[in-house]
């Protein structure tokens, strides 16, 4: 199964967008970087790791989302999409109300 990972460029220097076969994800870890930034590393067995930069909360929330997908991937559709950094529920609801008006 493949998931699509989209890392939006919110001032970070490493936007990423691509498909990842979750069968090759063998480790996910959060590393404390410089200047209060954190790095979420997806280590793949068949290619270089994917590194996503963000705040601690963003990395932790994305880590939990990815962990859920890896745990239940057999129940999901053939393609899933994850956006990094994950949007907070309050941002999503306020964006939805703006579009409605």
């Amino acid at each position: 199964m493949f998931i699509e990972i989209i890392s939006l460029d919110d001032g970070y220097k490493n936007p990423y967008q691509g498909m990842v076969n979750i069968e090759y994800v063998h480790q996910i870890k959060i590393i404390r970087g410089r200047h209060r930034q954190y790095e979420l590393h997806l280590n793949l067995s068949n290619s270089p790791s994917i590194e996503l930069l963000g705040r601690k909360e963003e990395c932790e929330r994305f880590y939990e989302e990815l962990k859920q997908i890896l745990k239940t991937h057999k129940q999901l559709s053939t393609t899933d999409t994850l956006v990094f950094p994950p949007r907070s529920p309050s941002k999503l609801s306020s964006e939805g109300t703006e579009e409605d008006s």
Side-chain angles (χ1 to χ4, degrees):
M1 180 183 132
F2 285 86
I3 57 171
E4 181 179 18
I5 296 179
I6 301 170
S7 175
L8 304 173
D9 186 7
D10 285 346
Y12 302 125
K13 295 179 181 172
N14 70 335
Y16 174 85
Q17 181 167 354
M19 301 297 286
V20 175
N21 186 336
I22 65 171
E23 300 295 324
Y24 296 122
V25 175
H26 68 89
Q27 185 182 41
I28 311 163
K29 58 185 176 179
I30 298 173
I31 298 172
R32 186 174 181 171
R34 295 187 217 164
H35 309 296
R36 297 176 151 177
Q37 280 191 330
Y38 284 74
E39 299 174 8
L40 182 83
H41 288 244
L42 280 78
N43 294 324
L44 307 172
S45 59
N46 67 336
S47 65
S49 67
I50 297 168
E51 298 172 0
L52 305 171
L53 299 178
R55 294 189 313 271
K56 181 180 180 184
E57 302 80 28
E58 293 169 341
C59 289
E60 288 173 346
R61 192 163 61 239
F62 192 80
Y63 175 89
E64 290 302 320
E65 288 178 20
L66 186 57
K67 200 164 75 171
Q68 275 302 110
I69 287 175
L70 292 173
K71 214 188 293 186
T72 60
H73 75 274
K74 291 185 194 256
Q75 300 167 8
L76 298 176
S77 62
T78 55
T79 303
D80 229 21
T81 299
L82 290 177
V83 176
F84 183 87
R87 294 184 177 185
S88 65
S90 60
K91 282 185 184 177
L92 290 175
S93 61
S94 66
E95 286 177 3
T97 55
E98 289 173 11
E99 291 175 0
D100 294 339
S101 50

